[in-house]
Amino acid sequence: MRVPLSWLREYVDLPATETGRDVQAKLISAGLEVETVEHLGADLKGPLVVGQVLTIEELEGFKKPIRFCTVDVGQANGTGEPQEIVCGARNFSVGDKVVVVLPGATLPGGFSISARKTYGKTSHGMICSSDELGMGDDGTHGIIVLPPETEVGKDAIELLELVDEVLDIAVTANRGDCLSIRGVARETAIAYGLPLRDPALLDVPGPNAYGYPVKVSDPAGCDRFTARTVTGLSPEARSPIWLQRRLQKVGMRPISLAVDVTNYVMMELGQPLHAYDRHQVQGTIGVRRAQEGEKIVTLDGVERKLHAEDLVITDDRGPIGLAGVMGGADTEIADHDPSEEGAGATTDVIIEAAHFDQVSVARTARRHKLSSEASRRFERGVDPQAAAAAAQRTVDLLVLLAGGTAEAGVTEVVAPGAPHTITMAADHPDKVAGVTYGRETVVRRLQEVGCDVYGQDELIVTVPSWRPDLTDPNDLAEEVIRLEGYENLPSTLPRPPAGRGLTARQRLHRRIGRALAGAGYVEALNYPFVSEQVFDQLGLEADDPARRVVKLANPLSDEEPALRTSLLPGLLAALRRNDGRGSHDLALFETGLVFQPRDAAEVAANLPVDRRPSPDDIAALNAALPDHPRHVAVVLAGAREQAGWWGKGRPADWADAVEAARTVAREAGADLRMRKGQYGPWHPGRCAELTVTVDGAERVVGHAGELHPRVLKTLGLPARACAMELDLDVLERVGDTVPQAPSISTFPVATQDVALVVDAFVPAADVEAALREGAGELLESIRLFDVYENAEQLGEGRKSLAYALRFRADDRTLTVDEASAARETAVALAADRTGAVLRG
């Protein structure tokens, strides 16, 4: 809603020193979102005057029509001589009054005016259009032609009200009253503590039997309909400059006097109106629901097929308007055509001011994709009591500006109704805000809003007709709080009850996130929606359980209608996006839910809203949900260690993905084991299958390693990208999160190194497992520190694995023989299980 400050001052006596910025601050403090303050004419500098065209000479020989004009500007040029101006516009004639900018002036945008030679003539200034003056659209797209009675030489800046400030307010859906100058003026008056001159306080004649006949067949859709008639409008009457300028400032285009007046009153009072050509209306005006399949041509020239729920205005022929949205073309106000001596111009009009149901108007506007200024207001709530005043204001302006005559007949159809009343404890706003306002402050603020308040400890509040959004005590409390100032509310942090905090599961997830972040990974949060085609891109088998997805009934995107069964699609997309933007060394991680459909689908019951759901209700709801375990995943690409003065860098490889899995397992206190595996997107020879023991049985909980080159090419990922994914819920189940203090022995450690030669296809993890088991209880730790391959020394298809074994006893110092015996036992078991032989 655009609100000119000059218009606002008509209803509130703001201090002369108050600027638009000052009013903006006050209104924002009162709860209105004033987005900007536009300074009209801020860079405009005169002389800008009214001139009269004396002569027009058509210049020939140019690609477009050019005219050389002489214009009388009075004494504004200092000489009184006609001003010579070159102009290309065609919409003015000799004798017309126009707006002239003289040399030395500056137009909006910093455009300086000076005498200059063009088209073989010297132009001393410009004849201006509305666009050049920053006035907005006036419908002519040409030179401004002023009324004939305008005085030559008059200052056009003052005449056209070119200097002003306009507040642009983002009105929320519940504040329909602020879609009018009247509503914003009321808020301004409250904010400044000043009286309001309400423009709706008019002397309105009561209804009588002489008004135009109206029949409302659907009082639920239209609870108030006022009709007034004005006859004898002058066909030549045009909207005065002040009215056109106000419409332009609020963002509307002047059209014709009758239409401009209805738009002006709508912006002033917030009540949408419609004017019908009385000679085009046949019979009684009616309000009813449309018949399915009925048609109407609206004012925008579009034929629309009506729905049975549409509320329409009718006459004896059928629909002549969509109620609260747009009028019909059959009864449109016809403007005067100067070339036809007033032929066809509307001289008698019927003014409609009605109140329509919010929901009905909103549905009709959306059904026909036809949003209008009227529908915007009805959807948000219009003051039903303002209809009669708006009709009277329209009649008064038409009589004043068009020389019309107001007929004595007044039609007003009103459905029975009573004001809305709310009962509220006087201290309810205090409890909501945590501030003691007191009864007097609560009553005073509610009365300023327009409420009638009675009672002491318990208040009976009658809501004003222009605030349909006030429906319960919390709404009234909000009014008190916002007018007292949101900025005055104390900032109080909630105190959690003692003994509560994060659950063990939440603490585990945070520890894992911190551990991965400490290892150099960056957390990436992705949407849980995927396309089913991504499983083909990841190379999953046709019968893979991960292909069974939960589909959304109303997805955000038709291209991603399913919930994820893996974290990898989102992480790999983030990897690709960052790599494409120049970040090539990447390490990302995510923890989040994946979704797996149940074998037997159940329908969730509707939970009660008047009480807390019972444990059985919650259990039934959970049983209807898909399984949603929490997973953790990482992806890597580029350099894992950067090169520098300290030495060479190192690219990320499969071992880093495996180490990320070990990091997660350590935080969960789980015994995670690795073995060679093959699954989906991972490279068959560089994939580790991650397992844990659950209830005595081994269970696969994830995979880690390098991604398959085919998957990398299909997804557009960097070469040698790696990934890991684990089921966190299973790790949590088997893990022991009790902190383990490190054991410190007073006895020395005995270190034995062993290098074993095995076939190249034998996993190092299998050799390590055999060594660990064979070494027995004396083994404290084992570490692979070297992998060596040389066909000449080891033989074709063979490799050497070197391990450091640390032995220690809790009660004594081990002898060399004891450590050597444990080492030999370990080597023997490794030889038996993997075919390993000691490297000579």
Side-chain angles (χ1 to χ4, degrees):
M1 175 69 192
R2 291 171 57 85
V3 180
L5 189 59
S6 59
W7 199 348
L8 197 61
R9 288 181 182 275
E10 281 199 9
Y11 310 126
V12 182
D13 287 328
L14 295 172
T17 56
E18 287 295 283
T19 66
R21 294 292 185 190
D22 299 328
V23 177
Q24 177 188 32
K26 284 284 190 179
L27 292 180
I28 289 176
S29 178
L32 290 185
E33 185 180 349
V34 185
E35 293 185 327
T36 60
V37 177
E38 182 179 354
H39 297 270
L40 301 182
D43 52 355
L44 178 64
K45 176 185 175 184
L48 187 72
V49 300
V50 176
Q52 184 172 23
V53 180
L54 301 178
T55 65
I56 297 177
E57 177 187 349
E58 301 289 346
L59 302 182
E60 304 292 342
F62 299 102
K63 292 183 179 180
K64 60 180 182 179
I66 298 297
R67 312 168 96 185
F68 181 64
C69 311
T70 60
V71 185
D72 179 13
V73 295
Q75 295 300 317
N77 58 5
T79 65
E81 297 294 326
Q83 202 79 2
E84 296 180 339
I85 298 174
V86 175
C87 183
R90 313 290 297 176
N91 69 311
F92 64 94
S93 306
V94 172
D96 283 346
K97 302 289 180 66
V98 294
V99 178
V100 179
V101 57
L102 300 176
T106 302
L107 294 182
F111 183 57
S112 298
I113 302 299
S114 60
R116 65 190 183 96
K117 190 169 183 179
T118 179
Y119 297 103
K121 300 285 187 178
T122 300
S123 182
H124 299 272
M126 284 176 52
I127 302 176
C128 298
S129 68
S130 60
D131 288 338
E132 291 164 340
L133 297 179
M135 295 170 57
D137 185 12
D138 62 356
T140 64
H141 302 289
I143 294 302
I144 302 171
V145 179
L146 300 171
E149 63 273 12
T150 309
E151 179 186 350
V152 172
K154 184 178 180 63
D155 183 2
I157 295 178
E158 179 183 350
L159 175 69
L160 299 177
E161 301 177 15
L162 296 178
V163 178
D164 202 350
E165 292 182 277
V166 179
L167 285 69
D168 194 349
I169 303 175
V171 179
T172 55
N174 64 317
R175 292 301 305 271
D177 60 305
C178 288
L179 286 174
S180 66
I181 304 297
R182 177 196 186 201
V184 176
R186 182 182 294 110
E187 291 296 317
T188 305
I190 295 173
Y192 278 91
L194 296 172
L196 169 71
R197 288 190 292 275
D198 192 343
L201 294 180
L202 302 174
D203 291 331
V204 179
N208 54 50
Y210 309 110
Y212 197 91
V214 174
K215 180 182 179 181
V216 177
S217 303
D218 190 340
C222 175
D223 57 7
R224 185 178 295 265
F225 195 107
T226 299
R228 300 288 298 275
T229 303
V230 180
T231 60
L233 301 180
S234 171
E236 290 80 15
R238 289 290 174 268
S239 301
I241 293 174
W242 64 266
L243 192 149
Q244 293 187 44
R245 288 297 294 132
R246 286 193 170 178
L247 290 178
Q248 288 175 326
K249 289 177 184 179
V250 298
M252 302 192 76
R253 178 172 63 88
I255 299 173
S256 64
L257 178 59
V259 175
D260 291 349
V261 166
T262 58
N263 286 336
Y264 177 85
V265 175
M266 175 180 68
M267 302 307 296
E268 183 181 55
L269 302 182
Q271 168 67 54
L273 301 108
H274 189 70
Y276 300 94
D277 188 328
R278 180 175 181 178
H279 298 297
Q280 302 300 326
V281 179
Q282 299 181 11
T284 301
I285 293 178
V287 183
R288 61 170 172 81
R289 298 289 171 174
Q291 298 174 9
E292 190 69 39
E294 275 189 306
K295 294 181 180 180
I296 183 177
V297 178
T298 46
L299 288 173
D300 57 1
V302 177
E303 183 178 77
R304 303 181 186 277
K305 187 176 181 180
L306 301 179
H307 189 274
E309 292 185 3
D310 291 334
L311 192 68
V312 293
I313 311 297
T314 65
D315 64 4
D316 291 349
R317 296 167 297 179
I320 58 173
L322 283 172
V325 180
M326 185 174 285
D330 289 343
T331 57
E332 181 180 7
I333 299 293
D335 199 8
H336 167 57
D337 186 347
S339 64
E340 299 187 12
E341 296 296 329
T346 298
T347 57
D348 301 339
V349 297
I350 301 172
I351 305 300
E352 165 211 306
H355 184 262
F356 301 111
D357 177 61
Q358 293 178 243
V359 175
S360 176
V361 172
R363 288 179 176 174
T364 296
R366 283 155 181 75
R367 187 180 298 117
H368 294 283
K369 297 180 176 60
L370 188 61
S371 179
S372 64
E373 291 289 345
S375 67
R376 286 182 61 223
R377 283 161 175 79
F378 280 121
E379 289 172 16
R380 289 161 175 78
V382 169
D383 180 6
Q385 302 292 338
Q392 183 63 47
R393 176 72 164 142
T394 305
V395 169
D396 292 343
L397 286 173
L398 289 176
V399 171
L400 174 67
L401 302 177
T405 301
E407 288 195 351
V410 177
T411 303
E412 191 164 6
V413 180
V414 181
H420 181 54
T421 300
I422 302 171
T423 300
M424 179 186 75
D427 62 350
H428 181 66
D430 302 0
K431 295 178 180 178
V432 173
V435 177
T436 302
Y437 293 120
R439 179 187 176 280
E440 291 186 2
T441 299
V442 171
V443 171
R444 174 172 58 84
R445 287 303 190 183
L446 292 179
Q447 288 175 338
E448 287 177 348
V449 171
C451 299
D452 290 330
V453 185
Y454 304 95
Q456 292 298 319
D457 293 338
E458 188 168 83
L459 304 179
I460 300 174
V461 183
T462 302
V463 174
S465 59
W466 56 81
R467 291 299 302 274
D469 58 307
L470 303 181
T471 60
D472 57 56
N474 285 334
D475 294 329
L476 299 179
E478 182 181 3
E479 291 300 297
V480 175
I481 295 168
R482 76 176 180 89
L483 294 178
E484 284 295 304
Y486 291 122
E487 68 276 9
N488 295 323
L489 292 177
S491 178
T492 306
L493 294 176
R495 295 183 179 179
R500 295 186 182 181
L502 297 177
T503 64
R505 181 177 185 178
Q506 290 170 330
R507 289 195 295 270
L508 172 61
H509 295 163
R510 293 196 178 188
R511 287 203 311 274
I512 289 172
R514 286 194 294 267
L516 289 175
Y521 291 86
V522 176
E523 187 171 16
L525 301 178
N526 299 291
Y527 287 118
F529 313 118
V530 296
S531 165
E532 292 183 85
Q533 284 72 34
V534 76
F535 302 125
D536 296 329
Q537 297 170 339
L538 293 177
L540 301 186
E541 299 292 339
D543 59 348
D544 194 299
R547 286 182 175 271
R548 295 183 61 237
V549 296
V550 177
K551 290 192 175 181
L552 299 170
N554 187 23
L556 291 177
S557 169
D558 292 335
E559 296 180 357
E560 295 181 332
L563 291 173
R564 65 189 177 192
T565 55
S566 166
L567 300 181
L568 289 184
L571 273 178
L572 293 176
L575 183 72
R576 180 180 63 247
R577 186 164 53 250
N578 284 276
D579 181 71
R581 294 177 179 175
S583 297
H584 304 302
D585 303 325
L586 296 161
L588 308 177
F589 84 93
E590 181 179 10
T591 61
L593 302 180
V594 299
F595 304 88
Q596 301 162 351
R598 298 181 186 269
D599 294 331
E602 298 183 21
V603 178
N606 291 326
L607 296 181
V609 296
D610 58 339
R611 57 182 173 82
R612 188 183 188 279
S614 68
D616 291 341
D617 291 333
I618 297 175
L621 179 63
N622 287 331
L625 297 175
D627 290 328
H628 45 281
R630 183 173 289 271
H631 282 200
V632 59
V634 305
V635 294
L636 305 101
R640 186 69 178 126
E641 296 177 3
Q642 296 291 336
W645 57 267
W646 51 85
K648 295 182 179 180
R650 179 179 68 80
D653 61 17
W654 62 269
D656 294 300
V658 172
E659 181 58 30
R662 288 195 178 104
T663 300
V664 173
R666 281 194 296 270
E667 293 298 328
D671 182 15
L672 187 68
R673 298 180 182 178
M674 291 89 175
R675 65 188 181 199
K676 183 178 179 181
Q678 180 176 347
Y679 177 71
W682 280 275
H683 193 295
R686 299 166 186 165
C687 174
E689 192 171 70
L690 311 174
T691 65
V692 294
T693 300
V694 182
D695 298 331
E698 192 175 53
R699 177 171 172 180
V700 177
V701 292
H703 295 83
E706 186 176 317
L707 295 176
H708 198 290
R710 182 174 58 249
V711 173
L712 297 178
K713 182 178 179 181
T714 302
L715 294 176
L717 298 171
R720 307 304 291 267
C722 304
M724 179 278 293
E725 184 166 12
L726 277 172
D727 189 328
L728 264 184
D729 283 1
V730 177
L731 287 183
E732 180 186 3
R733 178 181 170 187
V734 302
D736 182 6
T737 58
V738 177
Q740 298 292 328
S743 60
I744 301 175
S745 176
T746 59
F747 299 100
V749 66
T751 302
Q752 297 271 348
D753 292 344
V754 60
L756 302 177
V757 179
V758 296
D759 291 330
F761 62 82
V762 175
D766 291 350
V767 178
E768 181 180 323
L771 289 172
R772 187 184 298 276
E773 183 177 345
E777 295 181 354
L778 294 178
L779 182 68
E780 183 179 77
S781 67
I782 181 172
R783 179 174 63 88
L784 174 67
F785 66 85
D786 184 52
V787 179
Y788 178 70
E789 295 182 8
N790 188 312
E792 293 181 1
Q793 296 184 17
L794 303 178
E796 193 69 34
R798 306 279 282 173
K799 65 182 177 182
S800 171
L801 303 175
Y803 292 90
L805 286 73
R806 292 167 57 93
F807 298 98
R808 197 194 308 259
D810 294 334
D811 55 350
R812 67 189 187 282
T813 300
L814 292 177
T815 66
V816 174
D817 292 340
E818 287 177 311
S820 298
R823 171 181 176 273
E824 290 171 1
T825 304
V827 171
L829 187 58
D832 181 57
R833 289 189 178 178
T834 66
V837 296
L838 280 171
R839 182 177 171 188

